[in-house]
Amino acid sequence: MVGWACPSAFFRGVNRGILVAVALTAIVVPAVLAWKNFPAIRAANSNAVSDFAKFTAESLPASNAVVLSDDPTLLYLIQAANAKAGKPTQNVLVETGSLQHPSYQRYLHQNFPKDWPEPNPTNAISQVELVQHLERLSQSHKIFYMNASFGYYFEKFYPIPHALVYELKLHPGNDILPPPLSKEIIVENQNFWNKFTKETLPPLPALGKQSD
C-alpha cells in the first residue's frame, strides 16, 4: 500500500503543476501578445487616416466633378469619408490605370450614363480619345486629380492645387506653360497647409514607428 501511495502523490503533484502551467499560459500569453501588439492596435485605431480622408473629401466639390486618381485607395477613402459624414458621393470617381479597358469604360457608363459615353465593346480607348473626352467633360464639370501626376492629360490641362487635390484647367490658347497661381489660390493653400501641418501631420511619424 505504501509503494502505491508514493507514485499516486507524485502524479497528483505533476497534474497540479501542469494545471498551474496551463493557467499561467492562458493568462500570460494573451497579456504578452497584447503588450507587444499594442502600438499596432493603437496605430490602427488612430484618427489619422480618417482625418486624412475627411480633409481630402472636403477639398473636392460636393457634386458635379470628375475625380481622377492613379491610386484607387484614395477613391475608397473619399467614399468612406462621405459615408461617415452621411453624404452620398455625387462625383464621378475614376481610376486612371483602368481607363483604357473596355470593361471599366462600361462600368463608368453604367454608373454615370450622362457623364460617360457608351464605349466600343471590343477596342480599348486610345489616350487621345480619353483626353478629348475629358476636354468635353470640362465644359460641364470640374476636373480634379487626386495626386500629382504627369502624362498625356497634362498636354491639354494644367493643375491648380486646392489643399490635398489638384483642379485641372485647360491650357489657354496654344500656351504650353500654365499661368501663375492667383493670390487667392496661394493664400487658400497656405491657410490649409498651416492648419494641416499643425493638427494632422504631427502624429503620423510616431504612429509609423509604433506600427513597425
Side-chain angles (χ1 to χ4, degrees), residues 89-110:
T89 301
Q90 298 181 350
N91 292 320
V92 181
L93 306 182
V94 179
E95 194 262 301
T96 57
S98 302
L99 263 178
Q100 289 187 273
H101 298 289
S103 58
Y104 189 62
Q105 291 286 333
R106 287 193 294 271
Y107 162 81
L108 290 174
H109 176 68
Q110 289 169 1

Side-chain angles (χ1 to χ4, degrees), residues 30-46 206-207 209-212:
V32 171
L33 290 175
W35 174 80
K36 183 178 181 181
N37 292 308
F38 176 74
I41 296 170
R42 182 180 178 185
N45 291 332
S46 167
L207 290 173
K209 292 179 181 178
Q210 291 169 358
S211 60
D212 289 340

Side-chain angles (χ1 to χ4, degrees), residues 3-67:
W4 284 103
C6 289
S8 297
F10 171 76
F11 285 119
R12 284 197 299 272
V14 170
N15 288 337
R16 290 194 189 96
I18 292 174
L19 289 174
V20 170
V22 170
L24 287 174
T25 301
I27 296 171
V28 173
V29 170
V32 171
L33 290 175
W35 174 80
K36 183 178 181 181
N37 292 308
F38 176 74
I41 296 170
R42 182 180 178 185
N45 291 332
S46 167
N47 291 328
V49 174
S50 61
D51 286 346
F52 175 79
K54 175 177 175 289
F55 277 123
T56 303
E58 290 176 349
S59 302
L60 296 165
S63 61
N64 203 41
V66 176
V67 182

Side-chain angles (χ1 to χ4, degrees), residues 13 17 47 69 98 147 152 174 187 204:
N47 291 328
S69 178
S98 302
N147 45 275
Y152 43 88
N174 295 321
V187 171
L204 296 182

